[in-house]
């Protein structure tokens, strides 16, 4: 290693040791987590700057390098490059797909996320979007922020619950920096990443969210996604808010179906290179005819917000007078229908990114379509503001796609600095989300999706396993009589005993609770045997695999009995009573969830 590299490594190691000493001396004080949340926020803020700069640099290079008549090749080149990276340098992290895997890491992998994910997804997302892929940068910054929080916690020897909290801090600061939306980032971490709100979460999440935004703004300046503000709202337009809410639900449903369609069709090709070739070619052709489909799509939304609707098809073949009938409402509707297709093609063909930005863009287009439709039908504006419809459409669609209605309200209000429309934002998200949940329950084919992590899994991941097991001291034979079993329970104070056969193999269990109905049947004491009354619904689990077993399927404790094996022998069983008692302790005192 070069001397300069060695010195850098030594300094980094010394810094980690110093931080470790601070953590050790402050274990019982809030200062520790406050300090770490600030560090995570600042680091993720730098990552957000990095991904934006790389993406815009690639986009400018790609557009200027390829002449206009071969513009359709740009997305294909990007998808092929990402596939090369995923097959070589990023092979070990290519499986990780944003929010879904972040939640999986919290639920099933003790909040441990690979260190390489700090930069691999930043690069692959920047290449995908920079070359025209219709996905969002947010997936990359969420993954990078979660990895930063997880690895900082792991290196400092923090517990599972504090590693999880730092993952939430990384997510909050990433969204806050990318969208200049500190409240939106804070709420997104609470609503989607963490299992529930507790007072212990408040300060760390607020600090990390604020730190990410402040650093990003100090370096990049005030960089609003949408620089148009709404200063007033007429409550006479409230019926249209209801319409937008329903339309947002329908748009979200269409987006989900479009993504699924693209994945299914491209997956039939089997070979990842063929998939990238087909997906990139179709995507390039769509962008060639509709240049507004290039990249994230925020440019199109800003054009609409500034009343520059004709700019959306300025460089399109549809700008030709022959296609004039397709301008206006029909063209915007076409963009709305094609945007989810291009997102599905980008991601199904191996590209990187998420559904965060596409849901906002599609929602904005939907809001504008509703506005144009009302204008065409009524013949006048009727006091309507198109920008308000765009913002409300974003909130309604985002709430349904990301399953985060509260985040949707404040993300749009923060991003647009339009706090005067808080009430209509509340109503439109409530309508969209309520209607969506209603139809999801009515349709058994609709899955619940992967929302916030499940509370029972979070609790199981942090409890001491020795606190939920009782020892197995003796066994009974399958030929033992009811009298002998009763005598056994009178000697050993436990609620369950395994039953073995002549080959010393466990064939069932007898539970004290299940025997109570037999205690009054005195005639059966010397007649019935363990084989007749035992329960065969049990499973033997290795002690080192017990946590994973319970976290993967928490309901298993209610379905069957779990026996615990150590060193090849059954030594204990999981006590339902103890597990339920600990679970209730956490629910009755939420501060325990993230206590140090």
């Amino acid at each position: 290693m070069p001397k300069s590299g060695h010195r850098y490594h030594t300094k980094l190691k010394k810094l980690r040791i110093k931080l470790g000493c601070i953590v050790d001396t402050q274990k019982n004080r809030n200062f520790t987590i406050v300090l770490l949340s600030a560090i995570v926020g600042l680091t993720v803020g730098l990552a957000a700057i990095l991904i934006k700069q790389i993406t815009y640099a690639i986009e400018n290079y790609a557009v200027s390098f390829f002449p206009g008549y071969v513009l359709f090749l740009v997305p294909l080149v990007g998808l092929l490059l990402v596939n090369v990276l995923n097959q070589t340098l990023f092979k070990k992290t290519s499986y990780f797909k944003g929010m879904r895997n972040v939640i999986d890491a919290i639920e099933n992998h003790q909040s441990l996320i690979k260190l390489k994910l700090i930069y691999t997804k930043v690069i692959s997302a920047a290449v995908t979007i920079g070359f025209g892929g219709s996905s969002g940068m947010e997936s990359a910054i969420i993954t990078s922020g979660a990895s930063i929080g997880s690895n900082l916690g792991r290196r400092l020897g923090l517990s599972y619950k504090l590693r999880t909290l730092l993952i939430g801090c990384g997510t909050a600061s990433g969204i806050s920096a990318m969208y200049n939306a500190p409240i939106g980032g804070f709420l997104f971490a609470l609503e989607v990443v963490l299992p529930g709100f507790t007072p212990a979460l408040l300060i760390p999440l607020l600090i990390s969210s604020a730190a990410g935004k402040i650093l990003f703004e100090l370096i990049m300046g005030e960089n609003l996604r949408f620089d148009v503000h709404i200063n007033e709202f007429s409550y006479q337009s409230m019926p249209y808010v209801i319409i937008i809410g329903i339309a947002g639900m329908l748009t979200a449903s269409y987006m989900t179906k479009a993504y699924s369609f693209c994945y299914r069709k491209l997956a039939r090709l089997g070979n990842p290179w063929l998939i990238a070739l087909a997906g990139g070619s179709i995507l390039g052709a769509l962008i060639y005819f509709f240049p507004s489909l290039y990249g994230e799509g925020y440019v199109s939304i800003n054009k609409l917000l500034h009343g520059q609707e004709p700019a959306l098809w300025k460089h399109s073949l549809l700008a030709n007078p022959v296609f004039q009938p397709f301008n206006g409402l029909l063209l915007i509707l076409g963009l709305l229908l094609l945007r989810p297709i291009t997102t599905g093609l980008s991601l199904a063909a191996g590209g990187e990114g998420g559904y965060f930005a596409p849901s906002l863009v599609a929602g904005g287009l939907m809001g504008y379509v509703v506005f144009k439709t009302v204008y065409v039908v009524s013949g006048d504006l009727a006091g309507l503001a198109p920008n308000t419809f765009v913002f409300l459409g974003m909130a309604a669609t985002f709430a349904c796609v990301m399953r985060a209605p509260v985040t949707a309200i404040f993300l749009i209000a923060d991003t647009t600095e339009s706090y005067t429309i808080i009430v209509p934002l509340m109503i439109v998200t409530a309508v969209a989300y309520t209607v969506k949940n209603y139809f999801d329950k009515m349709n058994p084919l609709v899955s619940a999706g992967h929302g916030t992590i499940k509370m029972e899994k979070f609790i199981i991941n942090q409890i001491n396993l020795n606190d939920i097991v009782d020892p197995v001291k003796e066994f009974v034979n399958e030929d033992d009589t009811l009298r002998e079993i009763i005598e056994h329970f009178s000697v050993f104070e436990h609620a369950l005993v395994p039953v073995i056969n002549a080959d010393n193999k466990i064939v069932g269990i007898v539970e004290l609770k299940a025997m109570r109905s037999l205690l009054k049947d005195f005639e059966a004491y010397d007649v019935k045997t363990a084989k007749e009354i035992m329960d065969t619904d049990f499973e033997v689990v290795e002690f080192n695999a017990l946590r994973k077993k319970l976290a993967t399927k928490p309901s298993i404790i209610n379905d069957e009995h779990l026996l615990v094996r150590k060193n090849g022998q059954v030594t204990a069983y999981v006590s339902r009573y103890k597990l339920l008692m600990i679970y209730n302790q956490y629910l009755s005192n939420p501060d325990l969830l993230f206590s140090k």
Side-chain angles (χ1 to χ4, degrees), residues 164-165 183 185-207 406 452-455 458 586-595:
T164 305
L165 175 54
I183 300 176
F186 165 76
L187 290 171
F188 184 79
L190 279 179
E191 198 169 17
V192 179
V193 182
L194 300 174
F197 173 77
T198 72
L201 294 174
L202 186 62
I203 300 302
L205 288 179
L206 287 175
I207 287 177
V406 180
T452 186
I453 70 172
K454 296 176 176 60
M455 178 66 76
F458 185 71
Y586 278 102
L587 292 182
S588 60
N589 187 5
D591 278 343
L592 292 174
L593 290 171
F594 290 97
S595 60

Side-chain angles (χ1 to χ4, degrees), residues 308-323:
Q308 301 172 5
E309 182 185 315
L312 267 63
W313 58 87
K314 182 178 180 181
H315 301 291
S316 170
L317 292 178
L318 299 180
N320 191 296
V322 176
F323 298 100

Side-chain angles (χ1 to χ4, degrees), residues 48 190 230 241 246 270 297 301 310 392 396 401 404 415 433 455 462 502 504 530 545 547 557 576 582 590:
L190 279 179
I230 304 297
V241 175
I246 297 173
I301 298 299
L392 293 178
V401 172
T415 305
Y433 204 66
M455 178 66 76
Q462 60 180 289
N504 287 326
R547 191 186 303 278
I557 194 65
R576 293 176 176 175
I582 293 174

Side-chain angles (χ1 to χ4, degrees), residues 113-420:
I113 300 175
K114 291 183 178 180
L115 182 64
K116 283 186 176 181
L117 286 165
I118 292 176
Y119 61 87
T120 58
K121 297 302 176 182
V122 169
I123 296 173
S124 53
V127 172
T128 300
I129 300 167
F131 278 89
S134 299
S135 59
M137 300 180 193
E138 300 78 15
S139 175
I141 196 60
I142 286 172
T143 300
S144 180
S147 180
I148 290 170
S150 171
N151 283 279
L152 179 62
R154 181 174 64 86
R155 301 251 174 189
L156 296 177
L158 299 184
S159 63
Y160 163 74
K161 60 183 77 174
L162 292 184
R163 288 197 303 272
T164 305
L165 175 54
L166 291 182
I167 288 175
C169 289
T171 303
S173 55
I175 298 300
S176 173
M178 292 290 285
Y179 278 91
N180 191 35
I183 300 176
F186 165 76
L187 290 171
F188 184 79
L190 279 179
E191 198 169 17
V192 179
V193 182
L194 300 174
F197 173 77
T198 72
L201 294 174
L202 186 62
I203 300 302
L205 288 179
L206 287 175
I207 287 177
S208 61
S209 185
K213 178 206 181 301
I214 290 171
L215 182 66
F216 189 92
E217 192 168 319
L218 283 175
I219 297 176
M220 300 291 289
E222 188 175 13
N223 190 16
L224 292 175
R225 286 285 189 184
F226 314 107
D227 56 356
V228 173
H229 317 305
I230 304 297
N231 297 318
E232 59 182 358
F233 177 79
S234 172
Y235 286 97
Q236 294 178 348
S237 304
M238 194 60 71
Y240 298 112
V241 175
I242 308 297
I243 295 174
I244 294 176
I246 297 173
M249 182 277 298
L250 294 174
T251 303
S253 178
Y254 168 71
M255 292 176 73
T256 303
K257 288 179 170 57
Y259 299 154
S260 178
F261 174 81
C262 293
Y263 273 97
R264 287 199 317 271
K265 295 301 181 181
L266 289 180
R268 292 180 180 179
L269 297 176
N271 188 296
W273 300 107
L274 287 177
I275 291 174
L277 187 63
S281 299
I282 299 171
L283 178 61
L286 291 174
I287 291 175
Y288 188 76
F289 285 97
F290 297 90
S292 297
L293 295 173
Y294 194 99
E296 286 183 295
Y298 290 128
V299 173
S300 301
I301 298 299
N302 276 310
K303 295 292 184 184
L304 293 177
L305 293 174
H306 287 88
Q308 301 172 5
E309 182 185 315
L312 267 63
W313 58 87
K314 182 178 180 181
H315 301 291
S316 170
L317 292 178
L318 299 180
N320 191 296
V322 176
F323 298 100
Q324 286 301 314
F326 293 95
N327 289 345
L329 176 61
L330 291 180
L331 182 71
I332 305 297
L333 182 60
L335 292 177
L336 171 59
L337 295 175
L338 289 174
R339 173 58 65 172
I341 298 293
T342 57
T343 301
L345 290 171
S346 300
L347 299 180
E352 194 62 52
Y355 305 118
F356 198 108
S359 66
L360 291 176
V361 174
L365 291 172
M366 178 273 296
Y368 196 82
V369 166
V370 173
F371 165 76
K372 292 282 287 186
T373 303
V374 172
Y375 175 70
V376 169
V377 172
S378 64
D380 61 79
L381 295 178
L384 303 176
N387 293 349
T388 304
F389 274 52
V390 171
F391 293 152
L392 293 178
M394 288 181 182
T397 306
F398 178 90
C400 294
V401 172
M402 302 304 297
R403 291 182 169 83
V406 180
T407 301
I409 297 169
F410 290 94
L411 179 69
I412 301 303
D414 267 356
T415 305
T416 64
E417 295 184 349
S418 302
Y419 299 101
T420 55

Side-chain angles (χ1 to χ4, degrees), residues 15-83:
L15 178 61
R16 184 163 63 88
I17 292 173
K18 287 181 180 179
L19 284 175
C21 292
I22 293 175
V23 171
D24 289 337
T25 56
Q26 301 286 337
K27 276 185 178 178
N28 296 319
R29 303 179 190 176
N30 291 330
F31 175 76
T32 300
I33 198 63
V34 168
L35 173 65
L36 295 180
S37 62
I39 293 173
V40 169
L42 293 173
T43 309
V44 176
L46 288 174
I49 294 171
L50 182 64
I51 186 174
K52 272 205 170 185
Q53 294 296 84
I54 294 175
T55 302
Y56 292 151
I58 292 175
E59 184 174 326
N60 291 332
Y61 174 78
V63 172
S64 61
F65 181 81
F66 287 87
Y69 58 86
V70 292
L71 185 65
F72 67 92
L73 293 176
V74 178
L76 175 60
V77 172
L79 291 174
L80 290 174
L81 284 175
V82 173
N83 272 273

Side-chain angles (χ1 to χ4, degrees), residues 89-96 114 116-117 120-121:
L89 298 177
F90 301 161
K91 189 173 184 178
K92 292 184 178 179
T93 59
S94 60
Y95 72 93
F96 206 96
K114 291 183 178 180
K116 283 186 176 181
L117 286 165
T120 58
K121 297 302 176 182

Side-chain angles (χ1 to χ4, degrees), residues 528-565:
K528 287 192 175 181
T529 63
K531 187 175 182 178
E532 297 176 79
I533 64 175
M534 69 181 182
D535 185 355
T536 58
D537 194 9
F538 71 96
E539 185 175 350
V540 180
V541 182
E542 295 292 337
F543 183 77
N544 57 11
L546 179 58
R547 191 186 303 278
K548 184 177 181 180
K549 183 73 175 178
L550 290 172
T552 303
K553 188 181 177 185
S555 61
I556 193 172
I557 194 65
N558 295 320
D559 300 334
E560 57 189 58
H561 300 281
L562 290 181
L563 301 179
V564 181
R565 181 166 52 203

